[in-house]
Amino acid sequence: MGALTQRIAELPAEKQAALLQRLQRRRGVAPPDAASDRWFFRRRPDPQARMRLFCFPYAGGGAGVFRTWTDELPPDVEVLAAQLPGREARVGEKPFTRIGPLVDALATAIRPHLDRPFMFFGHSMGALVAFELARHLRREHLPQPDRLMLAAYRAPQLPNPNIKIYHLPDEVLKVVLQTDGTPQRILQNDELMRAMLPTLRADFELCDTYEYREEPPLDYPLSIFGGTEDVRISAGDLDGWRAHAGAGCTFTRVPGGHFFVHSAQDLLLAAIAEVLDGGRSAPGRPAVHDPTADKETSNA
């Protein structure tokens, strides 16, 4: 849940109560058409952008995870943050519990935006979603990303070493959230937890039920990011992404734990900006000639 829970924890009690009331009122809102722009939030639309960067959040996260990225990345890059059902502006909609239907819906929604070069960035669950969406686009002979930038997630062909937790009681899920750094003020607010846990539980189910299907490597480079203190994802977990990089793979270690997307945002965005600045090729072609492919780099 990351930055969202931090912001909620800092609210006074009366504002937390008001937020809860808004969440409850939105339950049951009918979902929008799958192809609407509600799937991708643009803080600063730019019809002249050279390139688009589609960003996919971690479990429980929404488009707000990437709300400041437009200010930190090259000005000719348009940032589109995925807004999945069940969170933020779409909190009243039922979240997906299987990756196949989610990828199908995202593929429909993203098609109007594939009229110029683009890349994907995904963190944790978002990395898995970005990877499977890229493979879906290839199967459908649609435009391809110039590069995938994937953070804090093990290579998808590797077995999940963790027990499945999505079906376990709320108290067990709270222990997981506490380990990830969720503030106690949030964990101890029963009303907020009841409002937020269904989406998080659905995201856990999506990841826990994922089944990898073998396909050829992707025809463009991969940039893989990992936290130096991430207890969930090891260097070996990240190294497995080489199998999917038909045009080279780079590795960047970023200071911090699993949510370095927040704690080391400046370093991460500097590395992403460097990749984007090199991405000036035609759609569907590798964006960067990377002479250091398959060598590990470090921002630590």
Side-chain angles (χ1 to χ4, degrees), residues 116-135:
R116 67 198 63 206
F118 64 95
M119 298 186 189
F120 287 169
F121 173 87
H123 186 94
S124 196
M125 181 189 82
L128 180 63
V129 172
F131 171 72
E132 284 297 337
L133 178 58
R135 298 211 299 177

Side-chain angles (χ1 to χ4, degrees), residues 9-297:
E10 294 168 358
L11 292 174
E14 63 273 13
K15 290 190 175 181
Q16 288 190 19
L19 173 61
L20 177 61
Q21 290 177 358
R22 289 199 299 272
L23 290 173
Q24 292 171 335
R25 284 198 300 269
R26 286 177 176 174
R27 293 294 177 192
V29 174
D33 181 78
S36 79
D37 281 343
R38 292 186 68 185
W39 281 88
F40 291 100
F41 172 75
R42 288 182 282 189
R43 180 182 168 198
R44 192 177 301 152
D46 181 6
Q48 305 303 319
R50 167 181 61 86
M51 175 172 286
R52 291 188 173 122
L53 176 65
F54 295 93
C55 299
F56 301 88
Y58 47 74
V65 172
F66 310 104
R67 69 189 186 283
T68 65
W69 282 33
T70 296
D71 299 329
E72 305 296 332
L73 294 176
D76 57 354
V77 174
E78 184 180 42
V79 177
L80 289 86
Q83 186 66 287
L84 307 183
R87 63 216 77 203
E88 296 182 1
R90 304 184 67 183
V91 70
E93 302 172 36
K94 184 177 179 180
F96 285 85
T97 59
R98 295 295 185 274
I99 196 166
L102 173 59
V103 167
D104 288 344
L106 282 167
T108 299
I110 203 172
R111 288 184 70 165
H113 305 300
L114 303 184
D115 58 345
R116 67 198 63 206
F118 64 95
M119 298 186 189
F120 287 169
F121 173 87
H123 186 94
S124 196
M125 181 189 82
L128 180 63
V129 172
F131 171 72
E132 284 297 337
L133 178 58
R135 298 211 299 177
H136 179 98
L137 294 179
R138 180 175 63 178
R139 290 193 298 270
E140 297 298 317
H141 306 289
L142 293 169
Q144 300 290 290
D146 282 4
R147 180 180 288 249
L148 296 187
M149 292 181 275
L150 308 175
Y153 202 81
R154 67 185 176 278
Q157 77 275 16
L158 300 179
N160 184 354
N162 304 309
I163 64 170
K164 293 179 171 57
I165 63 173
Y166 69 88
H167 61 286
L168 297 178
D170 287 353
E171 293 305 315
V172 178
L173 295 185
K174 290 180 183 180
V175 172
V176 175
L177 296 177
Q178 183 177 13
T179 302
D180 285 342
T182 301
Q184 282 294 326
R185 286 180 58 189
I186 296 297
L187 295 173
Q188 294 172 359
N189 189 320
D190 292 337
E191 288 186 304
L192 275 175
M193 282 291 95
R194 281 196 295 270
M196 299 168 72
L197 277 177
T199 294
L200 194 62
R201 186 184 292 278
D203 287 352
F204 285 155
E205 183 173 353
L206 185 147
C207 294
D208 285 347
T209 57
Y210 172 76
E211 295 182 1
Y212 172 73
R213 290 177 173 80
E214 188 169 354
E215 293 184 14
L218 299 167
D219 294 331
Y220 39 81
L222 272 62
S223 294
I224 308 300
F225 299 90
T228 57
E229 301 170 26
D230 190 345
V231 297
R232 287 200 211 173
I233 306 298
S234 69
D237 292 334
L238 298 175
D239 191 68
W241 283 106
R242 295 178 190 270
H244 304 285
C249 190
T250 62
F251 296 84
T252 301
R253 299 286 282 176
V254 180
H258 191 69
F259 289 105
F260 61 84
V261 67
H262 297 299
S263 62
Q265 180 175 285
D266 291 347
L267 286 174
L268 176 62
L269 288 179
I272 292 174
E274 185 176 353
V275 173
L276 292 168
D277 274 334
R280 300 181 183 274
S281 63
R285 304 299 302 170
V288 181
H289 173 64
D290 190 357
T292 63
D294 294 325
K295 295 181 181 179
E296 179 164 318
T297 60

